[in-house]
């Protein structure tokens, strides 16, 4: 099977544009999830953030994949409030930093960027897997990506494995009790609801896999 071998800045930007669309389409769903165990703003927070990220990319036209991700991260930090803004912002900034100044990203480099994003989220938010947060989607996604790569999968297949693992991880938050973030204030009443941040992480990674599927090899 043919697959994309390297990811350039245009493709990373296309991912962010697709993400903005997908987040907009799922705005009410994310807000509804956050209404159950939080303050009903996750959908609006992320729509505002990714719309601003698309606008920042149009204005600044960063030339490398790393610079695209860094721009997105800084925009999310400045435009999205709450917990998810700094967490996603840090994730994108760390991923961007991991890619440094190269023009093209290899499958291995994308794996390192995903790991850096996860390390950024756990470094800032101190959540472990099982705490009912975005980490429950991102951590298994990073593992699945690395496993697929080790098995010889092309970058787009590895990204699809990551997206699938994130979706499974997001669904697995339903029976969990939240131990971090606003949902943790509910204690045992947080059980029985899917975590909004894990859900948006799964959407972001599905958008990445879709973008890489559509990218020219
Ligand atoms: P807020 O909770 O401030 O209203 P959002 O509603 O935008 O912010 O985002 C909520 C999501 O943030 C949660 O569903 C969870 O996935 C994530 N989150 C909250 N705290 C943490 C944390 N400490 N570590 C990782 N993710 C967290
Ligand atoms: Mg909220």
């Amino acid at each position: 099977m043919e697959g994309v071998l390297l990811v350039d800045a245009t493709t990373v930007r296309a991912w962010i544009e697709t993400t903005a669309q997908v987040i907009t389409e799922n705005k009410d769903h994310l807000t509804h999830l956050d209404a159950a165990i939080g303050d009903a703003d996750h959908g609006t927070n992320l729509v505002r953030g990714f719309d601003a990220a698309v606008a920042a990319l149009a204005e600044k036209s960063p030339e490398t994949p790393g610079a695209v991700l860094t721009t997105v991260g800084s925009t999310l930090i400045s435009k999205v409030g709450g917990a998810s803004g700094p967490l996603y912002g840090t994730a994108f900034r760390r991923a961007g930093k991991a890619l440094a100044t190269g023009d093209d990203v290899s499958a291995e480099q994308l794996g390192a960027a995903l790991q850096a994003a996860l390390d950024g989220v756990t470094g800032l938010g101190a959540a472990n897997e099982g705490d009912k947060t975005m980490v429950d989607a991102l951590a298994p996604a990073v593992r699945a990506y690395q496993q697929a790569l080790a098995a010889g999968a092309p970058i787009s297949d590895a990204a699809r494995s990551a997206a699938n693992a994130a979706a499974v991880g997001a669904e697995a938050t339903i029976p969990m009790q939240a131990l971090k973030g606003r949902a943790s204030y509910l204690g045992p009443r947080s059980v029985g609801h899917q975590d909004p941040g894990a859900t948006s992480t799964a959407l972001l990674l599905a958008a990445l896999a879709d973008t890489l599927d559509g990218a020219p090899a």
Side-chain angles (χ1 to χ4, degrees):
M1 211 194 86
E2 218 174 318
V4 58
L5 296 175
L6 293 168
V7 180
D8 62 9
T10 305
T11 305
V12 178
R13 195 161 149 177
W15 169 38
I16 300 306
E17 284 161 3
T18 302
T19 297
Q21 265 173 33
V22 169
I23 292 291
T24 298
E25 284 159 17
N26 285 273
K27 178 181 158 202
D28 292 344
H29 176 53
L30 294 171
T31 291
H32 181 75
L33 293 176
D34 197 32
I37 57 170
D39 56 355
D41 65 354
H42 192 57
T44 41
N45 280 346
L46 290 191
V47 168
R48 185 169 64 251
F50 280 98
D51 282 354
V54 169
L57 294 177
E59 191 195 314
K60 295 185 185 157
S61 285
E63 285 178 0
T64 62
V68 170
L69 295 178
T70 305
T71 300
V72 171
S74 299
T75 306
L76 293 178
I77 288 173
S78 69
K79 299 286 177 185
V80 184
S84 64
L87 289 164
Y88 273 132
T90 300
F92 277 96
R93 285 178 55 100
R94 290 291 179 80
K97 201 172 164 193
L99 296 182
T101 56
D103 284 330
D104 294 300
V105 177
S106 68
E108 286 73 20
Q109 287 171 315
L110 181 59
L114 286 168
Q115 182 66 53
L118 173 61
D119 292 346
V121 170
T122 55
L124 183 63
N128 295 307
E129 285 184 79
D131 288 354
K132 196 179 183 99
T133 71
M134 58 177 73
V135 171
D136 290 309
L138 190 52
V142 174
R143 280 197 298 273
Y145 183 93
Q146 299 295 6
Q147 273 166 19
L149 218 59
I155 194 165
S156 51
D157 289 3
R160 183 62 65 193
S161 298
N164 291 342
V168 170
E171 215 180 316
T173 63
I174 295 173
M176 292 176 186
Q177 177 172 333
L179 297 179
K180 287 284 186 309
R182 203 179 278 281
S184 67
Y185 307 160
L186 290 179
R189 281 184 292 133
S190 62
V191 171
H193 305 279
Q194 185 163 318
D195 180 64
T199 308
S200 56
T201 292
L203 292 173
L204 261 130
L205 291 172
L208 176 63
D210 288 347
T211 304
L212 296 183
D213 275 344

